[in-house]
């Protein structure tokens, strides 16, 4: 799959960019804010997700890997496809989505075109345990740089990857945060695992 695209913006639309990669023009669908940040003839680097269907291959592009990961995660929700996932990221940042899911904020989720009350409730329910920790909420999307230090994000992600829930991981990282302000990721990870083993 194509995970990123780097090249020159050949054409910029409202919600799409054609990126020239060594003579090949790739059509990349983007949130409007991402397209607005691109300029024709300027260098472009996008984190991408490729959606393959029986009759099409569509490339979706984002400013950060965290946005791309959130786009892919949103599609794990029943009834949410690429269009709705793209609409979510056009209206909400990954952090705003995480906060809305953590706080069961149905009103915020229904601001997204195509999502009604039932859809918002389903998103809140199905994404709750899949979103890693952000301050002030139960979780934030994987790869999203929440306002914590880099080592804390890395350790939390590693723990989630090992099968612990987002909440367990965040709590363990918080428990060892004071001792590991230096940011040695491997030592902090070992300490967090010890906390979880108690």
């Amino acid at each position: 799959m194509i995970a990123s695209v780097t090249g020159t913006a050949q054409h910029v639309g409202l919600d799409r960019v054609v990126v020239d990669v060594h003579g090949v023009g790739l059509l990349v669908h983007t949130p409007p804010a991402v397209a607005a940040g691109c300029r024709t003839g300027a260098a472009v680097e996008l984190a991408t997700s490729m959606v393959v269907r029986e009759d099409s291959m569509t490339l979706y592009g984002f400013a950060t890997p965290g946005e791309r990961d959130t786009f892919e995660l949103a599609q794990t929700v029943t009834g949410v496809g690429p269009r709705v996932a793209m609409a979510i990221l056009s209206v909400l940042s990954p952090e705003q989505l995480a906060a809305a899911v953590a706080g069961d904020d149905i009103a915020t989720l229904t601001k997204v075109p195509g999502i009604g009350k039932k859809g918002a409730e389903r998103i809140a329910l199905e994404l709750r345990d899949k979103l890693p920790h952000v301050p002030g909420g139960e979780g934030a999307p994987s790869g999203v740089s929440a306002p914590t230090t880099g080592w804390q994000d890395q350790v939390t992600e590693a723990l989630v990857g090992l099968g612990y829930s987002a909440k367990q991981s965040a709590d363990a990282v918080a428990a060892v945060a004071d001792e590991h302000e230096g940011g040695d990721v491997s030592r902090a990870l070992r300490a967090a695992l010890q906390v979880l083993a108690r």
Side-chain angles (χ1 to χ4, degrees):
M1 287 300 179
I2 300 171
S4 66
V5 168
T6 304
T8 305
Q10 201 173 55
H11 169 78
V12 178
L14 285 174
D15 60 354
R16 62 188 62 202
V17 180
V18 177
V19 184
D20 182 348
V21 181
H22 301 294
V24 177
L26 299 176
L27 174 61
V28 185
H29 296 269
T30 66
V34 174
C38 297
R39 297 286 173 267
T40 303
V44 174
E45 185 173 347
L46 299 171
T48 58
S49 177
M50 184 175 230
V51 176
V52 179
R53 295 278 185 263
E54 210 174 272
D55 59 348
S56 67
M57 290 192 299
T58 310
L59 206 53
Y60 296 89
F62 306 90
T64 66
E67 289 180 6
R68 176 196 58 212
D69 294 347
T70 303
F71 171 76
E72 291 174 348
L73 192 60
Q75 291 176 73
T76 65
V77 176
T78 309
V80 174
R83 281 187 185 172
V84 174
M86 184 62 83
I88 290 170
L89 281 165
S90 296
V91 175
L92 304 172
S93 70
E95 292 86 351
Q96 288 170 327
L97 174 63
V101 167
D104 262 337
D105 187 351
I106 304 305
T108 294
L109 294 172
T110 53
K111 288 179 185 174
V112 177
I115 296 181
K117 187 172 184 285
K118 282 187 180 175
E121 288 169 351
R122 196 181 309 119
I123 288 168
L125 177 68
E126 293 187 29
L127 290 185
R128 186 169 296 122
D129 292 331
K130 296 180 182 179
L131 297 172
H133 180 72
V134 280
E138 287 286 333
S142 171
V144 172
S145 50
T148 58
T149 56
W151 73 265
Q152 289 175 314
D153 287 343
Q154 289 177 313
V155 173
T156 302
E157 233 175 274
L159 292 171
V160 171
L162 289 170
Y164 293 99
S165 75
K167 179 146 181 33
Q168 287 174 316
S169 303
D171 289 347
V173 169
V176 301
D178 291 340
E179 308 161 36
H180 296 278
E181 277 313 315
D184 183 332
V185 174
S186 59
R187 279 182 57 212
L189 178 57
R190 280 195 297 273
L193 284 167
Q194 287 170 356
V195 169
L196 288 164
R198 286 178 197 158

